[in-house]
Amino acid sequence: NAGVTQTPKFRVLKTGQSMTLLCAQDMNHEYMYWYRQDPGMGLRLIHYSVGEGTTAKGEVPDGYNVSRLKKQNFLLGLESAAPSQTSVYFCASSWRPGTVYGYTFGSGTRLTVV
Amino acid sequence: ELKVEQNPLFLSMQEGKNYTIYCNYSTTSDRLYWYRQDPGKSLESLFVLLSNGAVKQEGRLMASLDTKARLSTLHITAAVHDLSATYFCAVDNYGGSQGNLIFGKGTKLSVKP
């Protein structure tokens, strides 16, 4: 009954370092999303994927890259971290957007860039 | 561009009182979700509203959707402390092939004795 699992849960990076956030879902969902949450801003879409091997940009994609090599995994990469990327990152997946099935969210990754 | 506005952004209530949170959005959509978030936690799905006139109720919370007015409301009846959390509405931008949620900024609710 895992649902959407994000790793790591917490991370502190120095400016300029790189890292990858992993999102894994076991529900066979086609659609996966990466959001960031900043105080007072709600959640904003970074990148998304509509199936294995596909990715697309969302509202705030700059400074991030993504890959979806396997259907169950969606990776978010920061090549050269900046303090502006300090945020809480949420992954979500959906079997069929726009339906009662909705979206399932992971527990989040709290990233601090110093 | 789809935009979602919630108000109020902060709400301090006394236990036992009623109040309504409003969610306005800018373009046509008939798919709207309400989520609850406790501090440091993920988003918990509260309601899924999928058509004009949809009304859902769970305990002291009731959500409705008016697609013609592009408005959803989350009504709180006889608030209790356990309802203290941040509430988000999100509109499903499911047109085309991708689908994704456009979130409001959230309403931070504090229920005081």
Side-chain angles (χ1 to χ4, degrees), chain A residues 31 33 35 37 98-99 103 106, chain B residues 31 33 37 42 92 98-99 101:
Chain A
Y31 300 81
Y33 309 86
Y35 291 89
Q37 184 179 27
T99 71
Y103 300 78
Chain B
R31 304 287 192 264
Y33 302 82
Q37 186 180 40
S42 186
D92 203 323
Q98 78 275 10
L101 293 174

Side-chain angles (χ1 to χ4, degrees), chain A residues 7-28:
Chain A
T7 53
K9 295 190 185 305
F10 302 92
R11 185 73 185 268
V12 178
L13 282 181
K14 293 183 178 179
T15 298
Q17 286 185 321
S18 63
M19 78 164 293
T20 300
L21 281 67
L22 171 64
C23 176
Q25 52 94 4
D26 61 0
M27 298 170 286
N28 203 34

Side-chain angles (χ1 to χ4, degrees), chain A residues 18-73:
Chain A
S18 63
M19 78 164 293
T20 300
L21 281 67
L22 171 64
C23 176
Q25 52 94 4
D26 61 0
M27 298 170 286
N28 203 34
H29 286 175
E30 290 289 345
Y31 300 81
M32 297 187 75
Y33 309 86
W34 276 107
Y35 291 89
R36 61 177 286 172
Q37 184 179 27
D38 302 297
M41 295 295 293
L43 278 75
R44 293 180 292 168
L45 183 67
I46 305 171
H47 286 279
Y48 63 95
S49 169
V50 301
E52 180 178 316
T54 74
T55 63
K57 294 180 180 180
E59 180 186 356
V60 288
D62 294 342
Y64 305 94
N65 57 76
V66 288
S67 65
R68 183 105 180 263
L69 299 179
K70 293 182 178 180
K71 185 177 183 178
Q72 63 267 34
N73 296 336

